[in-house]
Amino acid sequence: MAIKQKFIHFFFTLLFLSSHLLLVTCKNADDSEVEDESPFTYEEGTGKGPKNWGHIDPQWQVCDKGKLQSPIDLLDERVQIFPGLGKLKRGYKPAAAVLKNRGHDISVEWRGDAGKIVANGTDYKVLQCHWHSPSEHTLNGTRHNLELHIVHRSSSGGIAVVGILYKIGRPDSFLAKLLHHIKRADEGDAIDLGVVSPGDIKFGSRKYYRYIGSLTVPPCTEGVLWTIVKKVRTVSREQIRAIRDVVHDGFEANARPLQQENGRPVYLYRPIA
């Protein structure tokens, strides 16, 4: 088992280092995501939909030509179970934060040091989180109602994103604290939230999927280390409605279509009983 764990760690390190060659011009995860949403939308037939993203801007060509694009379907029959990946280590802490309406989504951005995760032996500082509705990743072909992305960056500029999926049910406790701010957030607003801890985001499970992919909005930067929590949590209809109501037309349903896996390995971490 020790030999297998070392092999898994070496494999992911090698794959991740090679994919980082694509990130040399990316200062941080927030810089690499488009802030001005006007050039693109999620509505096909407008000339600005996902099928056209790679043709709108020369810097977005990877959206069309990339081989490590996200999101993907996490299909059980293709997933390889590897306990050797190890528990995702979280070291989050409270820090100053703002809520922003970026037009294409709602995000919480930390202005102070809000801690980190440790994945594959690398520290990734948390930067921001944002929501997509419906979910972007699917589980065995099922698209859920909401997906939260927690974006992190390493000191070398590498990007690691933790994704959490939600279905309709009881309200989500983290969103509940933000709901009144979300409902009044106009585009471009940066509403002071005071001190917020990313640790208030509930994961609910130690099981997770791991693969190498991309950002799911232009410029679709590749080399992103994805961790998708296996447990599907719950969110209320009111909370989803609030997130959809405040974004611009064309972004109410802000989920990118599924991308080709192209033979990429997808691993599942499941603790040994």
PDB file of all heavy atoms in Angstrom, residues 208-243:
ATOM      1  N   TYR A 208     -14.111  12.367  -2.016  1.00  0.00           N
ATOM      2  CA  TYR A 208     -14.069  13.358  -3.090  1.00  0.00           C
ATOM      3  C   TYR A 208     -13.523  12.740  -4.376  1.00  0.00           C
ATOM      4  O   TYR A 208     -12.816  11.734  -4.361  1.00  0.00           O
ATOM      5  CB  TYR A 208     -13.227  14.569  -2.687  1.00  0.00           C
ATOM      6  CG  TYR A 208     -11.757  14.272  -2.435  1.00  0.00           C
ATOM      7  CD1 TYR A 208     -10.847  14.155  -3.489  1.00  0.00           C
ATOM      8  CD2 TYR A 208     -11.264  14.133  -1.140  1.00  0.00           C
ATOM      9  CE1 TYR A 208      -9.502  13.896  -3.269  1.00  0.00           C
ATOM     10  CE2 TYR A 208      -9.917  13.872  -0.897  1.00  0.00           C
ATOM     11  CZ  TYR A 208      -9.043  13.758  -1.973  1.00  0.00           C
ATOM     12  OH  TYR A 208      -7.709  13.483  -1.745  1.00  0.00           O
ATOM     13  N   TYR A 209     -13.875  13.397  -5.504  1.00  0.00           N
ATOM     14  CA  TYR A 209     -13.323  13.065  -6.810  1.00  0.00           C
ATOM     15  C   TYR A 209     -12.161  14.017  -7.097  1.00  0.00           C
ATOM     16  O   TYR A 209     -12.193  15.179  -6.675  1.00  0.00           O
ATOM     17  CB  TYR A 209     -14.375  13.215  -7.908  1.00  0.00           C
ATOM     18  CG  TYR A 209     -15.582  12.327  -7.750  1.00  0.00           C
ATOM     19  CD1 TYR A 209     -16.741  12.798  -7.131  1.00  0.00           C
ATOM     20  CD2 TYR A 209     -15.583  11.024  -8.234  1.00  0.00           C
ATOM     21  CE1 TYR A 209     -17.859  11.995  -6.988  1.00  0.00           C
ATOM     22  CE2 TYR A 209     -16.704  10.214  -8.100  1.00  0.00           C
ATOM     23  CZ  TYR A 209     -17.840  10.706  -7.474  1.00  0.00           C
ATOM     24  OH  TYR A 209     -18.942   9.911  -7.329  1.00  0.00           O
ATOM     25  N   ARG A 210     -11.177  13.537  -7.850  1.00  0.00           N
ATOM     26  CA  ARG A 210     -10.011  14.372  -8.165  1.00  0.00           C
ATOM     27  C   ARG A 210      -9.629  14.176  -9.632  1.00  0.00           C
ATOM     28  O   ARG A 210      -9.516  13.047 -10.114  1.00  0.00           O
ATOM     29  CB  ARG A 210      -8.860  13.972  -7.244  1.00  0.00           C
ATOM     30  CG  ARG A 210      -7.490  14.559  -7.562  1.00  0.00           C
ATOM     31  CD  ARG A 210      -7.377  16.040  -7.300  1.00  0.00           C
ATOM     32  NE  ARG A 210      -7.762  16.457  -5.971  1.00  0.00           N
ATOM     33  CZ  ARG A 210      -7.027  16.329  -4.860  1.00  0.00           C
ATOM     34  NH1 ARG A 210      -5.860  15.731  -4.901  1.00  0.00           N
ATOM     35  NH2 ARG A 210      -7.463  16.806  -3.696  1.00  0.00           N
ATOM     36  N   TYR A 211      -9.461  15.278 -10.351  1.00  0.00           N
ATOM     37  CA  TYR A 211      -8.988  15.202 -11.730  1.00  0.00           C
ATOM     38  C   TYR A 211      -8.388  16.547 -12.122  1.00  0.00           C
ATOM     39  O   TYR A 211      -8.528  17.539 -11.411  1.00  0.00           O
ATOM     40  CB  TYR A 211     -10.129  14.803 -12.683  1.00  0.00           C
ATOM     41  CG  TYR A 211     -11.076  15.925 -13.059  1.00  0.00           C
ATOM     42  CD1 TYR A 211     -10.944  16.596 -14.277  1.00  0.00           C
ATOM     43  CD2 TYR A 211     -12.107  16.324 -12.206  1.00  0.00           C
ATOM     44  CE1 TYR A 211     -11.810  17.622 -14.632  1.00  0.00           C
ATOM     45  CE2 TYR A 211     -12.982  17.345 -12.554  1.00  0.00           C
ATOM     46  CZ  TYR A 211     -12.826  18.000 -13.761  1.00  0.00           C
ATOM     47  OH  TYR A 211     -13.667  19.018 -14.115  1.00  0.00           O
ATOM     48  N   ILE A 212      -7.691  16.581 -13.258  1.00  0.00           N
ATOM     49  CA  ILE A 212      -7.109  17.802 -13.795  1.00  0.00           C
ATOM     50  C   ILE A 212      -8.029  18.339 -14.882  1.00  0.00           C
ATOM     51  O   ILE A 212      -8.389  17.622 -15.819  1.00  0.00           O
ATOM     52  CB  ILE A 212      -5.714  17.553 -14.382  1.00  0.00           C
ATOM     53  CG1 ILE A 212      -4.771  16.991 -13.318  1.00  0.00           C
ATOM     54  CG2 ILE A 212      -5.138  18.850 -14.959  1.00  0.00           C
ATOM     55  CD1 ILE A 212      -4.450  17.932 -12.187  1.00  0.00           C
ATOM     56  N   GLY A 213      -8.417  19.618 -14.749  1.00  0.00           N
ATOM     57  CA  GLY A 213      -9.336  20.217 -15.715  1.00  0.00           C
ATOM     58  C   GLY A 213      -9.010  21.675 -15.985  1.00  0.00           C
ATOM     59  O   GLY A 213      -7.847  22.050 -16.098  1.00  0.00           O
ATOM     60  N   SER A 214     -10.066  22.494 -16.063  1.00  0.00           N
ATOM     61  CA  SER A 214      -9.901  23.900 -16.449  1.00  0.00           C
ATOM     62  C   SER A 214     -10.874  24.781 -15.671  1.00  0.00           C
ATOM     63  O   SER A 214     -11.766  24.292 -14.976  1.00  0.00           O
ATOM     64  CB  SER A 214     -10.181  24.063 -17.949  1.00  0.00           C
ATOM     65  OG  SER A 214     -11.587  23.970 -18.203  1.00  0.00           O
ATOM     66  N   LEU A 215     -10.692  26.085 -15.813  1.00  0.00           N
ATOM     67  CA  LEU A 215     -11.734  27.006 -15.389  1.00  0.00           C
ATOM     68  C   LEU A 215     -12.949  26.769 -16.278  1.00  0.00           C
ATOM     69  O   LEU A 215     -12.812  26.382 -17.434  1.00  0.00           O
ATOM     70  CB  LEU A 215     -11.269  28.460 -15.529  1.00  0.00           C
ATOM     71  CG  LEU A 215     -10.075  28.888 -14.677  1.00  0.00           C
ATOM     72  CD1 LEU A 215      -9.698  30.335 -15.011  1.00  0.00           C
ATOM     73  CD2 LEU A 215     -10.379  28.754 -13.190  1.00  0.00           C
ATOM     74  N   THR A 216     -14.143  27.011 -15.754  1.00  0.00           N
ATOM     75  CA  THR A 216     -15.359  26.752 -16.531  1.00  0.00           C
ATOM     76  C   THR A 216     -15.940  28.010 -17.151  1.00  0.00           C
ATOM     77  O   THR A 216     -17.034  27.973 -17.710  1.00  0.00           O
ATOM     78  CB  THR A 216     -16.429  26.059 -15.660  1.00  0.00           C
ATOM     79  OG1 THR A 216     -16.800  26.935 -14.586  1.00  0.00           O
ATOM     80  CG2 THR A 216     -15.907  24.744 -15.095  1.00  0.00           C
ATOM     81  N   VAL A 217     -15.220  29.133 -17.036  1.00  0.00           N
ATOM     82  CA  VAL A 217     -15.586  30.367 -17.730  1.00  0.00           C
ATOM     83  C   VAL A 217     -14.375  30.823 -18.533  1.00  0.00           C
ATOM     84  O   VAL A 217     -13.248  30.429 -18.245  1.00  0.00           O
ATOM     85  CB  VAL A 217     -16.025  31.489 -16.755  1.00  0.00           C
ATOM     86  CG1 VAL A 217     -17.270  31.076 -15.995  1.00  0.00           C
ATOM     87  CG2 VAL A 217     -14.902  31.866 -15.799  1.00  0.00           C
ATOM     88  N   PRO A 218     -14.592  31.639 -19.572  1.00  0.00           N
ATOM     89  CA  PRO A 218     -13.451  32.144 -20.330  1.00  0.00           C
ATOM     90  C   PRO A 218     -12.431  32.824 -19.401  1.00  0.00           C
ATOM     91  O   PRO A 218     -12.837  33.481 -18.446  1.00  0.00           O
ATOM     92  CB  PRO A 218     -14.085  33.162 -21.284  1.00  0.00           C
ATOM     93  CG  PRO A 218     -15.495  32.668 -21.468  1.00  0.00           C
ATOM     94  CD  PRO A 218     -15.874  32.120 -20.121  1.00  0.00           C
ATOM     95  N   PRO A 219     -11.140  32.635 -19.648  1.00  0.00           N
ATOM     96  CA  PRO A 219     -10.511  32.028 -20.835  1.00  0.00           C
ATOM     97  C   PRO A 219     -10.325  30.515 -20.764  1.00  0.00           C
ATOM     98  O   PRO A 219      -9.543  29.959 -21.519  1.00  0.00           O
ATOM     99  CB  PRO A 219      -9.147  32.729 -20.872  1.00  0.00           C
ATOM    100  CG  PRO A 219      -8.814  32.975 -19.441  1.00  0.00           C
ATOM    101  CD  PRO A 219     -10.131  33.294 -18.778  1.00  0.00           C
ATOM    102  N   CYS A 220     -11.018  29.826 -19.843  1.00  0.00           N
ATOM    103  CA  CYS A 220     -10.996  28.356 -19.772  1.00  0.00           C
ATOM    104  C   CYS A 220      -9.595  27.799 -19.525  1.00  0.00           C
ATOM    105  O   CYS A 220      -9.224  26.747 -20.040  1.00  0.00           O
ATOM    106  CB  CYS A 220     -11.583  27.740 -21.041  1.00  0.00           C
ATOM    107  SG  CYS A 220     -13.213  28.380 -21.514  1.00  0.00           S
ATOM    108  N   THR A 221      -8.816  28.515 -18.708  1.00  0.00           N
ATOM    109  CA  THR A 221      -7.438  28.132 -18.411  1.00  0.00           C
ATOM    110  C   THR A 221      -7.354  26.690 -17.929  1.00  0.00           C
ATOM    111  O   THR A 221      -8.102  26.288 -17.034  1.00  0.00           O
ATOM    112  CB  THR A 221      -6.865  29.067 -17.328  1.00  0.00           C
ATOM    113  OG1 THR A 221      -7.036  30.425 -17.739  1.00  0.00           O
ATOM    114  CG2 THR A 221      -5.388  28.782 -17.085  1.00  0.00           C
ATOM    115  N   GLU A 222      -6.433  25.919 -18.502  1.00  0.00           N
ATOM    116  CA  GLU A 222      -6.272  24.521 -18.124  1.00  0.00           C
ATOM    117  C   GLU A 222      -5.201  24.362 -17.038  1.00  0.00           C
ATOM    118  O   GLU A 222      -4.457  25.287 -16.734  1.00  0.00           O
ATOM    119  CB  GLU A 222      -5.931  23.676 -19.353  1.00  0.00           C
ATOM    120  CG  GLU A 222      -7.078  23.633 -20.349  1.00  0.00           C
ATOM    121  CD  GLU A 222      -6.861  22.635 -21.474  1.00  0.00           C
ATOM    122  OE1 GLU A 222      -5.691  22.353 -21.819  1.00  0.00           O
ATOM    123  OE2 GLU A 222      -7.878  22.135 -22.019  1.00  0.00           O
ATOM    124  N   GLY A 223      -5.128  23.158 -16.475  1.00  0.00           N
ATOM    125  CA  GLY A 223      -4.180  22.874 -15.417  1.00  0.00           C
ATOM    126  C   GLY A 223      -4.759  23.056 -14.035  1.00  0.00           C
ATOM    127  O   GLY A 223      -4.022  23.126 -13.056  1.00  0.00           O
ATOM    128  N   VAL A 224      -6.086  23.137 -13.940  1.00  0.00           N
ATOM    129  CA  VAL A 224      -6.755  23.327 -12.653  1.00  0.00           C
ATOM    130  C   VAL A 224      -6.894  21.982 -11.938  1.00  0.00           C
ATOM    131  O   VAL A 224      -7.340  20.997 -12.537  1.00  0.00           O
ATOM    132  CB  VAL A 224      -8.148  23.969 -12.838  1.00  0.00           C
ATOM    133  CG1 VAL A 224      -8.905  24.034 -11.513  1.00  0.00           C
ATOM    134  CG2 VAL A 224      -8.010  25.362 -13.441  1.00  0.00           C
ATOM    135  N   LEU A 225      -6.518  21.946 -10.676  1.00  0.00           N
ATOM    136  CA  LEU A 225      -6.686  20.745  -9.855  1.00  0.00           C
ATOM    137  C   LEU A 225      -8.084  20.775  -9.255  1.00  0.00           C
ATOM    138  O   LEU A 225      -8.379  21.597  -8.385  1.00  0.00           O
ATOM    139  CB  LEU A 225      -5.630  20.717  -8.750  1.00  0.00           C
ATOM    140  CG  LEU A 225      -5.636  19.468  -7.860  1.00  0.00           C
ATOM    141  CD1 LEU A 225      -5.144  18.257  -8.653  1.00  0.00           C
ATOM    142  CD2 LEU A 225      -4.778  19.671  -6.627  1.00  0.00           C
ATOM    143  N   TRP A 226      -8.940  19.868  -9.734  1.00  0.00           N
ATOM    144  CA  TRP A 226     -10.333  19.843  -9.277  1.00  0.00           C
ATOM    145  C   TRP A 226     -10.523  18.801  -8.170  1.00  0.00           C
ATOM    146  O   TRP A 226     -10.049  17.666  -8.271  1.00  0.00           O
ATOM    147  CB  TRP A 226     -11.266  19.494 -10.438  1.00  0.00           C
ATOM    148  CG  TRP A 226     -11.622  20.686 -11.271  1.00  0.00           C
ATOM    149  CD1 TRP A 226     -11.037  21.088 -12.428  1.00  0.00           C
ATOM    150  CD2 TRP A 226     -12.667  21.632 -10.994  1.00  0.00           C
ATOM    151  NE1 TRP A 226     -11.641  22.228 -12.901  1.00  0.00           N
ATOM    152  CE2 TRP A 226     -12.643  22.583 -12.044  1.00  0.00           C
ATOM    153  CE3 TRP A 226     -13.597  21.766  -9.981  1.00  0.00           C
ATOM    154  CZ2 TRP A 226     -13.529  23.654 -12.095  1.00  0.00           C
ATOM    155  CZ3 TRP A 226     -14.490  22.823 -10.019  1.00  0.00           C
ATOM    156  CH2 TRP A 226     -14.446  23.758 -11.069  1.00  0.00           C
ATOM    157  N   THR A 227     -11.245  19.213  -7.136  1.00  0.00           N
ATOM    158  CA  THR A 227     -11.691  18.322  -6.068  1.00  0.00           C
ATOM    159  C   THR A 227     -13.190  18.497  -5.948  1.00  0.00           C
ATOM    160  O   THR A 227     -13.663  19.584  -5.594  1.00  0.00           O
ATOM    161  CB  THR A 227     -11.019  18.669  -4.723  1.00  0.00           C
ATOM    162  OG1 THR A 227      -9.592  18.555  -4.859  1.00  0.00           O
ATOM    163  CG2 THR A 227     -11.504  17.743  -3.619  1.00  0.00           C
ATOM    164  N   ILE A 228     -13.958  17.468  -6.262  1.00  0.00           N
ATOM    165  CA  ILE A 228     -15.421  17.538  -6.182  1.00  0.00           C
ATOM    166  C   ILE A 228     -15.878  16.670  -5.017  1.00  0.00           C
ATOM    167  O   ILE A 228     -15.658  15.451  -5.016  1.00  0.00           O
ATOM    168  CB  ILE A 228     -16.098  17.047  -7.482  1.00  0.00           C
ATOM    169  CG1 ILE A 228     -15.551  17.800  -8.702  1.00  0.00           C
ATOM    170  CG2 ILE A 228     -17.618  17.197  -7.369  1.00  0.00           C
ATOM    171  CD1 ILE A 228     -15.888  19.266  -8.727  1.00  0.00           C
ATOM    172  N   VAL A 229     -16.496  17.286  -4.023  1.00  0.00           N
ATOM    173  CA  VAL A 229     -16.989  16.542  -2.862  1.00  0.00           C
ATOM    174  C   VAL A 229     -18.080  15.581  -3.312  1.00  0.00           C
ATOM    175  O   VAL A 229     -18.992  15.961  -4.057  1.00  0.00           O
ATOM    176  CB  VAL A 229     -17.524  17.509  -1.788  1.00  0.00           C
ATOM    177  CG1 VAL A 229     -18.066  16.732  -0.591  1.00  0.00           C
ATOM    178  CG2 VAL A 229     -16.419  18.466  -1.341  1.00  0.00           C
ATOM    179  N   LYS A 230     -17.989  14.333  -2.887  1.00  0.00           N
ATOM    180  CA  LYS A 230     -18.939  13.318  -3.356  1.00  0.00           C
ATOM    181  C   LYS A 230     -20.343  13.530  -2.822  1.00  0.00           C
ATOM    182  O   LYS A 230     -21.332  13.304  -3.535  1.00  0.00           O
ATOM    183  CB  LYS A 230     -18.442  11.923  -2.974  1.00  0.00           C
ATOM    184  CG  LYS A 230     -19.347  10.791  -3.469  1.00  0.00           C
ATOM    185  CD  LYS A 230     -18.731   9.435  -3.233  1.00  0.00           C
ATOM    186  CE  LYS A 230     -19.675   8.297  -3.636  1.00  0.00           C
ATOM    187  NZ  LYS A 230     -20.119   8.368  -5.039  1.00  0.00           N
ATOM    188  N   LYS A 231     -20.481  13.960  -1.590  1.00  0.00           N
ATOM    189  CA  LYS A 231     -21.805  14.128  -0.988  1.00  0.00           C
ATOM    190  C   LYS A 231     -22.548  15.304  -1.631  1.00  0.00           C
ATOM    191  O   LYS A 231     -21.988  16.391  -1.793  1.00  0.00           O
ATOM    192  CB  LYS A 231     -21.695  14.383   0.517  1.00  0.00           C
ATOM    193  CG  LYS A 231     -23.052  14.566   1.222  1.00  0.00           C
ATOM    194  CD  LYS A 231     -22.865  14.815   2.699  1.00  0.00           C
ATOM    195  CE  LYS A 231     -24.194  15.081   3.409  1.00  0.00           C
ATOM    196  NZ  LYS A 231     -25.096  13.915   3.340  1.00  0.00           N
ATOM    197  N   VAL A 232     -23.785  15.086  -2.015  1.00  0.00           N
ATOM    198  CA  VAL A 232     -24.636  16.153  -2.546  1.00  0.00           C
ATOM    199  C   VAL A 232     -25.399  16.775  -1.375  1.00  0.00           C
ATOM    200  O   VAL A 232     -26.169  16.091  -0.701  1.00  0.00           O
ATOM    201  CB  VAL A 232     -25.617  15.613  -3.611  1.00  0.00           C
ATOM    202  CG1 VAL A 232     -26.525  16.733  -4.117  1.00  0.00           C
ATOM    203  CG2 VAL A 232     -24.850  14.979  -4.771  1.00  0.00           C
ATOM    204  N   ARG A 233     -25.184  18.051  -1.148  1.00  0.00           N
ATOM    205  CA  ARG A 233     -25.826  18.747  -0.044  1.00  0.00           C
ATOM    206  C   ARG A 233     -27.148  19.362  -0.500  1.00  0.00           C
ATOM    207  O   ARG A 233     -27.571  19.156  -1.643  1.00  0.00           O
ATOM    208  CB  ARG A 233     -24.877  19.801   0.529  1.00  0.00           C
ATOM    209  CG  ARG A 233     -23.587  19.161   1.096  1.00  0.00           C
ATOM    210  CD  ARG A 233     -22.786  20.159   1.892  1.00  0.00           C
ATOM    211  NE  ARG A 233     -23.548  20.695   3.009  1.00  0.00           N
ATOM    212  CZ  ARG A 233     -23.711  20.074   4.177  1.00  0.00           C
ATOM    213  NH1 ARG A 233     -23.167  18.882   4.388  1.00  0.00           N
ATOM    214  NH2 ARG A 233     -24.414  20.631   5.144  1.00  0.00           N
ATOM    215  N   THR A 234     -27.815  20.110   0.365  1.00  0.00           N
ATOM    216  CA  THR A 234     -29.129  20.666   0.021  1.00  0.00           C
ATOM    217  C   THR A 234     -29.107  22.188   0.058  1.00  0.00           C
ATOM    218  O   THR A 234     -28.319  22.819   0.768  1.00  0.00           O
ATOM    219  CB  THR A 234     -30.220  20.169   0.980  1.00  0.00           C
ATOM    220  OG1 THR A 234     -29.922  20.578   2.321  1.00  0.00           O
ATOM    221  CG2 THR A 234     -30.350  18.657   0.918  1.00  0.00           C
ATOM    222  N   VAL A 235     -30.014  22.763  -0.727  1.00  0.00           N
ATOM    223  CA  VAL A 235     -30.189  24.209  -0.828  1.00  0.00           C
ATOM    224  C   VAL A 235     -31.674  24.458  -1.056  1.00  0.00           C
ATOM    225  O   VAL A 235     -32.380  23.615  -1.628  1.00  0.00           O
ATOM    226  CB  VAL A 235     -29.338  24.768  -1.992  1.00  0.00           C
ATOM    227  CG1 VAL A 235     -29.814  24.214  -3.329  1.00  0.00           C
ATOM    228  CG2 VAL A 235     -29.349  26.292  -2.023  1.00  0.00           C
ATOM    229  N   SER A 236     -32.179  25.595  -0.613  1.00  0.00           N
ATOM    230  CA  SER A 236     -33.611  25.870  -0.783  1.00  0.00           C
ATOM    231  C   SER A 236     -33.883  26.531  -2.130  1.00  0.00           C
ATOM    232  O   SER A 236     -32.999  27.138  -2.746  1.00  0.00           O
ATOM    233  CB  SER A 236     -34.115  26.775   0.342  1.00  0.00           C
ATOM    234  OG  SER A 236     -33.611  28.095   0.192  1.00  0.00           O
ATOM    235  N   ARG A 237     -35.127  26.432  -2.573  1.00  0.00           N
ATOM    236  CA  ARG A 237     -35.523  27.090  -3.821  1.00  0.00           C
ATOM    237  C   ARG A 237     -35.350  28.604  -3.714  1.00  0.00           C
ATOM    238  O   ARG A 237     -34.966  29.267  -4.690  1.00  0.00           O
ATOM    239  CB  ARG A 237     -36.980  26.750  -4.157  1.00  0.00           C
ATOM    240  CG  ARG A 237     -37.213  25.281  -4.475  1.00  0.00           C
ATOM    241  CD  ARG A 237     -38.635  25.026  -4.936  1.00  0.00           C
ATOM    242  NE  ARG A 237     -38.913  23.611  -5.095  1.00  0.00           N
ATOM    243  CZ  ARG A 237     -38.605  22.911  -6.182  1.00  0.00           C
ATOM    244  NH1 ARG A 237     -38.031  23.520  -7.209  1.00  0.00           N
ATOM    245  NH2 ARG A 237     -38.882  21.611  -6.264  1.00  0.00           N
ATOM    246  N   GLU A 238     -35.639  29.172  -2.561  1.00  0.00           N
ATOM    247  CA  GLU A 238     -35.486  30.620  -2.361  1.00  0.00           C
ATOM    248  C   GLU A 238     -34.039  31.045  -2.554  1.00  0.00           C
ATOM    249  O   GLU A 238     -33.760  32.085  -3.166  1.00  0.00           O
ATOM    250  CB  GLU A 238     -35.961  31.022  -0.967  1.00  0.00           C
ATOM    251  CG  GLU A 238     -35.802  32.522  -0.692  1.00  0.00           C
ATOM    252  CD  GLU A 238     -36.034  32.884   0.754  1.00  0.00           C
ATOM    253  OE1 GLU A 238     -36.147  31.976   1.596  1.00  0.00           O
ATOM    254  OE2 GLU A 238     -36.076  34.097   1.057  1.00  0.00           O
ATOM    255  N   GLN A 239     -33.114  30.245  -2.050  1.00  0.00           N
ATOM    256  CA  GLN A 239     -31.701  30.588  -2.176  1.00  0.00           C
ATOM    257  C   GLN A 239     -31.244  30.546  -3.630  1.00  0.00           C
ATOM    258  O   GLN A 239     -30.530  31.439  -4.092  1.00  0.00           O
ATOM    259  CB  GLN A 239     -30.863  29.645  -1.309  1.00  0.00           C
ATOM    260  CG  GLN A 239     -31.044  29.887   0.180  1.00  0.00           C
ATOM    261  CD  GLN A 239     -30.341  28.849   1.046  1.00  0.00           C
ATOM    262  OE1 GLN A 239     -30.154  27.701   0.638  1.00  0.00           O
ATOM    263  NE2 GLN A 239     -29.942  29.253   2.244  1.00  0.00           N
ATOM    264  N   ILE A 240     -31.674  29.546  -4.367  1.00  0.00           N
ATOM    265  CA  ILE A 240     -31.325  29.471  -5.785  1.00  0.00           C
ATOM    266  C   ILE A 240     -31.966  30.619  -6.554  1.00  0.00           C
ATOM    267  O   ILE A 240     -31.335  31.252  -7.414  1.00  0.00           O
ATOM    268  CB  ILE A 240     -31.758  28.125  -6.382  1.00  0.00           C
ATOM    269  CG1 ILE A 240     -30.922  26.992  -5.796  1.00  0.00           C
ATOM    270  CG2 ILE A 240     -31.628  28.136  -7.907  1.00  0.00           C
ATOM    271  CD1 ILE A 240     -31.298  25.623  -6.292  1.00  0.00           C
ATOM    272  N   ARG A 241     -33.211  30.922  -6.238  1.00  0.00           N
ATOM    273  CA  ARG A 241     -33.909  32.009  -6.927  1.00  0.00           C
ATOM    274  C   ARG A 241     -33.190  33.338  -6.712  1.00  0.00           C
ATOM    275  O   ARG A 241     -33.049  34.144  -7.640  1.00  0.00           O
ATOM    276  CB  ARG A 241     -35.348  32.101  -6.421  1.00  0.00           C
ATOM    277  CG  ARG A 241     -36.224  33.069  -7.237  1.00  0.00           C
ATOM    278  CD  ARG A 241     -37.648  33.109  -6.705  1.00  0.00           C
ATOM    279  NE  ARG A 241     -38.227  31.774  -6.617  1.00  0.00           N
ATOM    280  CZ  ARG A 241     -38.563  31.182  -5.477  1.00  0.00           C
ATOM    281  NH1 ARG A 241     -38.371  31.807  -4.318  1.00  0.00           N
ATOM    282  NH2 ARG A 241     -39.087  29.981  -5.495  1.00  0.00           N
ATOM    283  N   ALA A 242     -32.710  33.573  -5.506  1.00  0.00           N
ATOM    284  CA  ALA A 242     -32.005  34.819  -5.202  1.00  0.00           C
ATOM    285  C   ALA A 242     -30.730  34.937  -6.035  1.00  0.00           C
ATOM    286  O   ALA A 242     -30.416  36.016  -6.565  1.00  0.00           O
ATOM    287  CB  ALA A 242     -31.667  34.878  -3.713  1.00  0.00           C
ATOM    288  N   ILE A 243     -29.993  33.849  -6.156  1.00  0.00           N
ATOM    289  CA  ILE A 243     -28.751  33.851  -6.942  1.00  0.00           C
ATOM    290  C   ILE A 243     -29.045  34.114  -8.411  1.00  0.00           C
ATOM    291  O   ILE A 243     -28.321  34.851  -9.094  1.00  0.00           O
ATOM    292  CB  ILE A 243     -28.011  32.508  -6.768  1.00  0.00           C
ATOM    293  CG1 ILE A 243     -27.431  32.411  -5.348  1.00  0.00           C
ATOM    294  CG2 ILE A 243     -26.907  32.348  -7.808  1.00  0.00           C
ATOM    295  CD1 ILE A 243     -26.848  31.053  -5.019  1.00  0.00           C
TER     296      ILE A 243
END
